[in-house]
Amino acid sequence: MHKYTAEDIQIERYGEYGWEWSYIDVEDGNRVTKRTNANGEGLFLLMRDGWHQIWGTMQYTASKTAEEMVARLVRAMNRY
């Protein structure tokens, strides 16, 4: 089983407090792109027809710094 690391994730600021990130899914080899809103709330997945909200603004809040956010993403991606 592949263990994701910080090097697997490309992350950039989205809006004032949000994040957008992407990584290659090791299961199918496709790039996955996700983001929060500009305030760092909610979770959105980029699909062929545009962005789709998968978690609400009260269900997901981003970390403040890129380092904290990447660490959080790595933990979540390696959970299963």
Side-chain angles (χ1 to χ4, degrees):
M1 180 175 154
H2 177 77
K3 292 291 266 185
Y4 288 99
T5 67
E7 289 76 33
D8 293 320
I9 301 170
Q10 295 176 325
I11 189 169
E12 60 185 54
R13 183 59 82 182
Y14 180 79
E16 190 170 350
Y17 300 107
W19 297 104
E20 182 174 317
W21 63 94
S22 65
Y23 59 93
I24 302 297
D25 185 328
V26 296
E27 295 291 321
D28 60 20
N30 291 323
R31 177 164 297 282
V32 176
T33 303
K34 296 180 179 181
R35 69 169 173 83
T36 64
N37 68 15
N39 293 322
E41 301 166 334
L43 184 60
F44 300 81
L45 175 64
L46 183 59
M47 301 179 84
R48 290 182 184 188
D49 61 342
W51 290 101
H52 292 261
Q53 188 169 9
I54 55 177
W55 284 11
T57 57
M58 299 300 285
Q59 296 172 305
Y60 191 90
T61 303
S63 300
K64 301 288 185 209
T65 69
E67 293 80 15
E68 291 171 344
M69 191 66 186
V70 168
R72 177 180 180 177
L73 294 171
V74 168
R75 281 192 307 274
M77 292 163 64
N78 288 325
R79 187 174 308 149
Y80 302 104

